[in-house]
């Protein structure tokens, strides 16, 4: 997943190039591959950060693309999901050809704006609203995992818009995470499971109004997905009374 950042601010672990070894590969959804990389020199990363992956061909040609991390915390392993862009230079190899034991170069961790960390004071935590379009769920999953790992009391919600049931990333893990402090809302745009209460259709302003944490609760909001999706959702949130400064966005394209 290619990521393009809004402004970045704040401290972050030291960024550098690292040699990573592919430790595990598995199909995540249609035309998407989950990769676990062993990076002995990894300094750790925050939930929501990303990396650059660089591939070098036999003739010396290099291609570098950015991917969000589904993992956070200490080394040595990191996790990402790559959705294939058929005409891309990097994603087809990572989806179809990469194998356990292969070496790749990664640069990171990158980004300090689109991150979440558990609150460190005793004040009542602001709710967190996550909104994902398609593979934009990857960095948000890192936040869900960090929230669960910290046994944090912050109320979390994830509104996840996806084409169909077979396209849901981290399906079982997200379902298992649902509980007192985490709520999951799925919107299917093209095909829904049998018996699903809503007809398939694109996410709308009315659905956002009904499913996100209300503006009067002053949630921190993280929105990730294709550019048009992110821009529409961010605009709706502002129209619904959310403060622009409380909305952090991540847009992606492909190759």
């Amino acid at each position: 997943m290619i990521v393009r950042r809004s402004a970045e601010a704040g401290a972050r672990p030291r960024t550098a190039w690292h040699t990573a070894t592919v430790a595990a590969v598995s199909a995540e959804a249609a035309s998407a591959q989950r990769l676990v990389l062993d990076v002995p020199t990894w300094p750790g990363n925050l939930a929501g950060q990303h990396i650059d992956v660089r591939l070098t061909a036999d003739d010396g040609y290099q291609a570098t693309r950015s991917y969000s991390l589904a993992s956070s915390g200490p080394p040595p392993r990191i996790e990402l999901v790559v959705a294939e862009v058929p005409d891309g230079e990097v994603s087809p190899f990572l989806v179809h050809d990469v194998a356990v034991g292969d070496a790749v170069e990664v640069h990171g961790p990158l980004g300090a704006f689109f991150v979440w960390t558990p609150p460190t004071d005793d004040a009542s935590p602001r709710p967190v609203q996550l909104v994902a379009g398609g593979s934009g769920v990857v960095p948000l999953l890192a936040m869900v995992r960090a929230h669960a790992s910290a046994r944090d009391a912050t109320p979390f919600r994830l509104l996840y818009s996806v084409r169909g049931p077979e396209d849901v990333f981290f399906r079982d893990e997200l379902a298992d995470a649902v509980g007192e402090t985490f709520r999951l809302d799925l919107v299917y745009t093209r095909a829904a499971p049998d018996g699903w209460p809503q007809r398939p259709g694109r996410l709308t302003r009315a659905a956002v109004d009904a499913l996100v944490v209300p503006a009067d609760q002053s949630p921190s909001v993280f929105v990730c997905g294709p550019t048009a999706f992110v821009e529409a959702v961010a605009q709706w949130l502002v129209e619904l009374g959310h403060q622009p400064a409380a909305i952090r966005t991540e847009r992606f394209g492909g190759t």
Side-chain angles (χ1 to χ4, degrees), residues 113-182:
F113 177 77
F114 195 82
V115 299
W116 179 83
T117 56
T120 57
D121 55 39
D122 294 330
S124 297
R126 295 173 61 186
V128 173
Q129 177 67 59
L130 313 174
V131 184
S135 59
V137 75
V138 175
L140 306 184
L141 187 277
M143 299 179 191
V144 173
R145 286 175 166 177
H147 175 251
S149 178
R151 300 182 182 275
D152 181 64
T154 303
F156 255 57
R157 287 190 190 179
L158 170 60
L159 173 57
Y160 187 7
S161 174
V162 65
R163 291 180 179 180
E166 71 281 0
D167 299 300
V168 177
F169 287 12
F170 314 104
R171 177 198 306 273
D172 293 341
E173 184 172 352
L174 287 172
D176 289 344
V178 172
E180 185 176 349
T181 61
F182 177 65

Side-chain angles (χ1 to χ4, degrees), residues 18-21 37-43 75-78 106:
H18 307 270
T19 298
T21 302
L37 305 180
D38 188 3
V39 191
T41 56
W42 189 247
R77 289 193 168 182
I78 59 176
V106 300

Side-chain angles (χ1 to χ4, degrees), residues 20-251:
T21 302
V22 178
V25 296
S26 59
E28 183 59 39
S31 298
Q33 186 92 307
R34 187 190 301 209
L35 304 178
V36 178
L37 305 180
D38 188 3
V39 191
T41 56
W42 189 247
N45 66 278
L46 303 175
Q49 291 190 293
H50 67 286
I51 59 171
D52 290 339
V53 176
R54 182 167 66 191
L55 303 179
T56 303
D58 292 339
D59 62 2
Y61 176 77
Q62 293 183 323
T64 303
R65 298 293 182 268
S66 298
Y67 295 95
S68 293
L69 292 168
S71 55
S72 64
R77 289 193 168 182
I78 59 176
E79 185 176 341
L80 60 151
V81 176
V82 179
E84 181 184 10
V85 178
D87 295 328
E89 290 187 302
V90 175
S91 62
F93 173 81
L94 295 178
V95 170
H96 297 293
D97 300 317
V98 75
V100 172
D102 285 350
V104 297
E105 294 178 285
V106 300
H107 184 232
L110 302 170
F113 177 77
F114 195 82
V115 299
W116 179 83
T117 56
T120 57
D121 55 39
D122 294 330
S124 297
R126 295 173 61 186
V128 173
Q129 177 67 59
L130 313 174
V131 184
S135 59
V137 75
V138 175
L140 306 184
L141 187 277
M143 299 179 191
V144 173
R145 286 175 166 177
H147 175 251
S149 178
R151 300 182 182 275
D152 181 64
T154 303
F156 255 57
R157 287 190 190 179
L158 170 60
L159 173 57
Y160 187 7
S161 174
V162 65
R163 291 180 179 180
E166 71 281 0
D167 299 300
V168 177
F169 287 12
F170 314 104
R171 177 198 306 273
D172 293 341
E173 184 172 352
L174 287 172
D176 289 344
V178 172
E180 185 176 349
T181 61
F182 177 65
R183 169 174 158 176
L184 172 65
D185 294 294
L186 287 164
V187 173
Y188 294 102
T189 63
R190 295 188 181 181
D194 292 340
W196 193 254
Q198 289 84 34
R199 295 182 61 184
R202 290 191 176 185
L203 188 66
T204 64
R205 184 183 186 276
V208 169
D209 187 16
L211 295 174
V212 303
V213 178
D216 60 12
Q217 295 184 30
S218 300
S220 298
V221 185
F222 297 84
V223 186
C224 185
T227 296
F229 173 90
V230 170
E231 290 179 350
V233 170
Q235 180 61 40
W236 293 335
L237 289 167
V238 172
E239 292 172 358
L240 293 168
H242 293 264
Q243 294 299 312
I247 304 169
R248 300 191 177 196
T249 62
E250 182 101 309
R251 301 163 175 82

